[in-house]
């Protein structure tokens, strides 16, 4: 636990920067949310790739089946995969959270053409990097996804686990809900986004956080070098997230209703 506390201490300043980022001042209207979602959807997508990598490493997905040494971590990852890949949407239809996010984008009127073109390119066998280079996307958003896949391509499970555990945001859902309440007080116009956000908050409760930290402890063990690498990646992931927020914030200021045109 001491080493986990050391990581938390090392990243405390970066987490504060993330939580007090100016993007939250710029997210005022539904139009701002549209711009945010058109970029953030790529982070929603690449989160699934982090998760699926961990699933291939911590659970038994190959034939013939051989039990994994840590059933507790296998259960943790399988639970998250179940919830993220095959959850139930607001009308009871099984969908991944990524697909639910796309549905919310369509309902709110955000542009999904870039992410849909990207998914098509990847599904045709193009690399993530080349696919990002072929589409119309904010370069800051592309850089964020490319960094995620550099970690995945390293095949170092403790580094991917660090990105999964320490590198994701926890403020945005609450911000969105406040904006939605103001814009749609009757909760009828943006039902899909409201449901997605409320579900996101519900699932990221007390259970997942402690389990993710236990995963880090199990993967690092007594290796001082692994603990240092995990700390370094945690810092870098938060720095990349801050840079992504910088990118989106600038785009909102340029294109949003409060921009100087």
């Amino acid at each position: 636990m001491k080493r986990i506390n050391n990581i938390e201490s090392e990243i405390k300043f970066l987490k504060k920067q993330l939580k007090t980022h100016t993007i939250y001042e710029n997210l005022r209207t539904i139009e701002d949310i549209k711009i945010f979602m058109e970029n953030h959807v790529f982070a929603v997508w690449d989160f699934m790739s982090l998760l699926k990598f961990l699933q291939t490493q911590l659970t038994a997905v190959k034939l013939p089946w051989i039990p994994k040494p840590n059933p507790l971590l296998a259960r943790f990852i399988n639970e998250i995969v179940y919830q993220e890949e095959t959850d139930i949407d607001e009308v009871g239809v099984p969908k991944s959270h990524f697909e639910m996010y796309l549905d919310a984008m369509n309902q709110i009127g955000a542009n999904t053409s870039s992410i849909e073109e990207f998914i098509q390119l990847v599904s045709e066998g193009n690399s993530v990097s080349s696919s990002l280079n072929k589409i119309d996307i904010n370069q800051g958003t592309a850089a964020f996804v490319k960094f995620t896949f550099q970690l995945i391509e390293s095949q170092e499970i403790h580094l991917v686990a660090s990105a999964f555990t320490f590198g994701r945001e926890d403020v945005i859902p609450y911000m969105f809900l406040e904006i939605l309440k103001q814009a749609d007080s009757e909760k009828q116009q943006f039902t899909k986004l409201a449901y997605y956000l409320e579900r996101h908050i519900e699932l990221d409760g007390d259970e997942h956080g402690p389990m993710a930290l236990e995963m880090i402890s199990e993967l690092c063990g007594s290796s001082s070098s692994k603990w240092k690498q995990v700390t370094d990646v945690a810092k870098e992931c938060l720095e990349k997230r801050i840079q992504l927020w910088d990118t989106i914030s600038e785009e909102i200021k340029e294109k949003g209703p409060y921009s100087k045109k």
Side-chain angles (χ1 to χ4, degrees):
M1 195 62 188
K2 181 180 178 182
R3 281 174 154 163
I4 290 292
N5 289 337
N6 288 341
I7 295 176
E8 294 287 2
S9 178
E10 289 277 336
I11 65 177
K12 184 178 180 180
F13 178 69
L14 289 168
K15 289 178 77 172
K16 183 178 179 181
Q17 278 188 276
L18 195 57
K19 289 184 176 182
T20 58
H21 196 281
T22 54
I23 193 170
Y24 304 119
E25 298 172 9
N26 294 329
L27 282 170
R28 309 180 195 177
T29 70
I30 295 300
E31 292 303 312
D32 298 333
I33 288 182
K34 289 179 187 179
I35 295 170
F36 180 91
M37 294 182 79
E38 288 162 9
N39 289 281
H40 183 243
V41 65
F42 286 87
V44 175
W45 176 80
D46 81 356
F47 173 80
M48 282 302 301
S49 294
L50 289 173
L51 176 58
K52 296 301 282 187
F53 174 82
L54 292 174
Q55 185 184 32
T56 64
Q57 301 299 308
L58 294 175
T59 73
V61 293
K62 296 179 181 179
L63 294 175
W65 180 82
I66 299 172
K68 285 290 185 175
N70 195 319
L72 185 65
L73 292 187
R75 178 182 176 86
F76 167 57
I77 292 298
N78 279 334
E79 279 184 1
I80 296 180
V81 170
Y82 170 68
Q83 292 163 346
E84 291 283 343
E85 194 171 36
T86 55
D87 205 0
I88 302 296
D89 72 7
E90 82 283 2
V91 293
V93 177
K95 284 186 179 178
S96 68
H97 282 196
F98 171 74
E99 291 165 307
M100 289 162 61
Y101 198 90
L102 283 180
D103 287 346
M105 289 179 71
N106 284 317
Q107 187 184 56
I108 205 172
N111 189 336
T112 60
S113 59
S114 292
I115 186 64
E116 288 172 348
E117 183 182 358
F118 171 73
I119 294 296
Q120 182 61 38
L121 287 166
V122 170
S123 70
E124 291 170 356
N126 295 284
S127 71
V128 168
S129 183
S130 67
S131 297
L132 289 168
N133 292 338
K134 291 176 182 177
I135 64 174
D136 181 17
I137 183 177
N138 189 312
Q139 289 309 297
T141 302
F144 180 86
V145 178
K146 288 178 181 179
F147 173 72
T148 297
F149 274 83
Q150 287 174 12
L151 291 176
I152 292 172
E153 288 161 8
S154 76
Q155 296 290 298
E156 296 286 354
I157 185 171
H158 62 296
L159 303 186
V160 176
S162 180
F164 180 87
T165 302
F166 300 109
R168 298 288 150 164
E169 79 284 351
D170 59 2
V171 176
I172 280 292
Y174 296 96
M175 287 292 303
F176 273 19
L177 285 173
E178 287 303 312
I179 296 169
L180 291 183
K181 285 177 186 176
Q182 295 172 19
D184 184 22
S185 59
E186 300 298 319
K187 296 185 178 180
Q188 294 179 350
Q189 191 175 359
F190 307 125
T191 55
K192 292 183 181 297
L193 181 55
Y195 178 85
Y196 173 89
L197 294 170
E198 288 164 357
R199 188 73 177 132
H200 184 84
I201 292 168
E202 178 186 351
L203 292 177
D204 286 350
D206 294 336
E207 185 177 344
H208 286 178
M211 282 298 299
L213 295 176
E214 183 168 345
M215 172 175 65
I216 294 291
S217 295
E218 288 285 335
L219 293 173
C220 291
S222 60
S223 171
S224 296
S225 63
K226 284 186 177 181
W227 279 105
K228 183 181 185 307
Q229 289 168 353
V230 161
T231 304
D232 290 344
V233 166
K235 290 179 182 177
E236 195 167 5
C237 284
L238 288 172
E239 288 166 354
K240 295 294 184 184
R241 176 67 62 169
I242 290 167
Q243 289 167 16
L244 176 62
W245 271 199
D246 290 343
T247 291
I248 300 174
S249 188
E250 283 302 312
E251 187 171 341
I252 289 171
K253 285 191 284 187
E254 290 173 8
K255 296 180 180 179
Y258 296 94
S259 63
K260 294 181 181 178
K261 296 178 182 177

